[in-house]
Structure formats: C-alpha cells, structure tokens
Amino acid sequence: MSALLRMSNIHKSFAELTVLEDVSLALAPGEIISLLGPSGCGKSTLLRIAAGLDTHFHGAMERNPLLDFGTGSGIGVVFQEPRLMPWLSVAENIGFADGRRADERWVRQLLRDVGLEGRGDALPKQLSGGMAQRVAIARGLYGRPQVLLLDEPFSAVDAFTRMKLQDLVIKLAAQYEISVLLVTHDLDEAVYLSDRVIILGGRPSRIVAELDVPLAQPRDRRAAELALLKGEALTALYQQPR
Ligand SMILES: Nc1ncnc2c1ncn2[C@@H]1O[C@H](COP(=O)(O)OP(=O)(O)OP(=O)(O)O)[C@@H](O)[C@H]1O
Ligand SMILES: [Mg+2]
C-alpha cells in the first residue's frame, strides 16, 4: 500500500442514525487533504476513524506499516480546541505523552518551530488563543508523526492569526515530511492549504466532490486560480442533496 492511510467503503452509524455511507479516501505521503462539508455531516467522525479512535464502523481502515516503524507514533491529532492541561506548563503539555521522560531538546525545538521560544514555562492561562493553538500543534508533532490529523484547528482565532497558523502548518508539513488531513469549514483555507479538497454531503454523507489543487507551494492567497477553485468547491457544496 503506497498510501499512508486508506479508508475504503466506510459506513458509520450511531444507533439508528447512519452518518457516513461508502466513503473512501487515501492519504498519500506528503499530501495535504482538506475535508469540507456542512455541520453534522460526519467530518469529525471520519477523522476519529482515521486516528484509530473509533473502530466501530463497516468498511476498511488501513494504516501503512511504515507508520509503525521508527520512533514515531505514526499519527498526531490536533483538535478544534487546544485541550491543554491548565496545571501543566507549555513545555509539559507538549511532552505530555512521555510525562517525566519527555525529550526536552525536542520540546525546545518544537517551541522554536511554532514561534514560542522561551515560553515553555508559561501556563496555558497566560497564552492567547493563537498561542494555545500553536502549543496544541507542537504537541501533535511531539510523537514525530508521519500523518497529522487536524479537526478545525484554527476556528477559534482571528483571521490574521488564522492565516499565520495555516502558513505554519504548511511549513512544518514540508519540514518534517508530514501528510495532513484537515477538517475545515473554510473554503479559502481548503484551497490555499491543500493538494486535494474532498467535499462530503447528503444524508447520510458521501463524497460529493473531489477537487485537485495543482498549484505549487508557497501560494499567493490572491491568485486567480485559487478563486476559481473556491468557486468550484462552492458549487459542489450548494448542489448537495438536502
Ligand atoms: N458519539 C456520538 N453518539 C451519537 N451520535 C453522534 C456521536 N458523535 C457524532 N454523532 C452524530 O453524528 C453526526 C456527525 O457528527 P460529526 O461530529 O462527525 O459532524 P461534523 O461534520 O464534524 O460537524 P461539525 O462541522 O459541526 O463539527 C451528527 O449528527 C452527530 O450528532
Ligand atoms: Mg466536527
């Protein structure tokens, strides 16, 4: 299997409610995929399945054996809210998975990477929303994942901070050769960041559209090609069966 993650014909129900129907998706090495769709369509549910946090579904979820080699934990996850432990310092939050045995040099490097050098001793309450989200990204990278799953990670910050965080994710994904699956509501974000945009829709949700974004990084947010692709994504979202 050349993909790092491959979900095939996923069907997912909660009791009587079928949320996902026949969803197939493969994440290639180095690829950034955005997952778009209306609220409640099952984006977080699909991300939890990709993360291995939910195993109650029909269909197949394959992890490339490569993810289980080396020192890495394979998959890192960043949620919508930073979910930091308020009683732990920033550095302790980042190395939380290893507790007292955390690799301090790696934590310091990650602090530098996310622009929080020297802030390791701060407590979460001393951080702004954007800083807290950067700590959450650093924590997601701590296990040296090859795949990063992001569930609307920038939705609680202002537009300017959001753009900076988007650029940070693009930079870190390239630097550490990480593939990214990003759930978002934001069409601009989807076309700016990703190689492929996947749109879920219908009840239960299926994949209703898939757009390639064949533009090299770094991209110009004002590029006409991005506006065109955004138009196509909008059309796909509006044409959904309701
Ligand atoms: N643990 C659960 N038990 C029962 N129903 C659930 C559970 N988790 C999610 N659902 C239902 O599954 C559907 C999809 O939820 P999900 O959180 O995946 O949507 P979403 O696309 O991430 O929405 P949003 O954009 O608002 O975050 C919703 O109808 C939700 O009520
Ligand atoms: Mg969600």
Side-chain angles (χ1 to χ4, degrees), residues 28-177:
E31 191 175 34
I32 300 183
I33 294 181
S34 287
L35 199 58
L36 271 171
S39 183
C41 76
K43 301 180 298 295
S44 297
T45 302
L46 195 61
L47 211 73
R48 287 177 55 78
I49 290 173
L53 296 170
D54 183 346
T55 51
H56 295 99
F57 58 87
H58 293 284
M61 161 66 211
E62 294 168 88
R63 283 166 65 102
N64 191 310
L66 277 176
L67 290 179
D68 301 314
F69 282 131
T71 53
S73 59
I75 298 180
V77 187
V78 180
F79 297 97
Q80 186 163 357
E81 340 71 53
R83 297 193 185 184
L84 303 179
M85 310 287 170
W87 60 90
L88 295 180
S89 70
V90 161
E92 287 165 340
N93 267 285
I94 293 173
F96 178 72
D98 280 344
R100 294 225 174 106
R101 292 181 297 111
D103 179 344
E104 286 176 26
R105 272 182 62 188
W106 179 225
V107 170
R108 272 201 301 280
Q109 174 64 47
L110 287 170
L111 280 167
R112 272 197 297 278
D113 287 340
V114 298
L116 290 174
E117 188 164 13
R119 302 304 298 271
D121 292 332
L123 285 170
K125 68 179 180 198
Q126 298 171 294
L127 306 178
S128 69
M131 288 161 87
Q133 204 51 275
R134 280 184 275 158
V135 176
I137 292 169
R139 183 184 52 195
L141 294 172
Y142 177 78
R144 301 179 193 272
Q146 296 179 60
V147 171
L148 195 59
L149 304 176
L150 303 161
D151 193 353
E152 298 191 47
F154 317 131
S155 53
V157 296
D158 65 273
F160 185 65
T161 305
R162 185 174 185 127
M163 287 192 256
K164 289 174 78 167
L165 289 174
Q166 289 164 353
D167 288 331
L168 179 68
V169 164
I170 293 170
K171 185 192 99 174
L172 293 173
Q175 182 177 332
Y176 292 118
E177 298 180 355

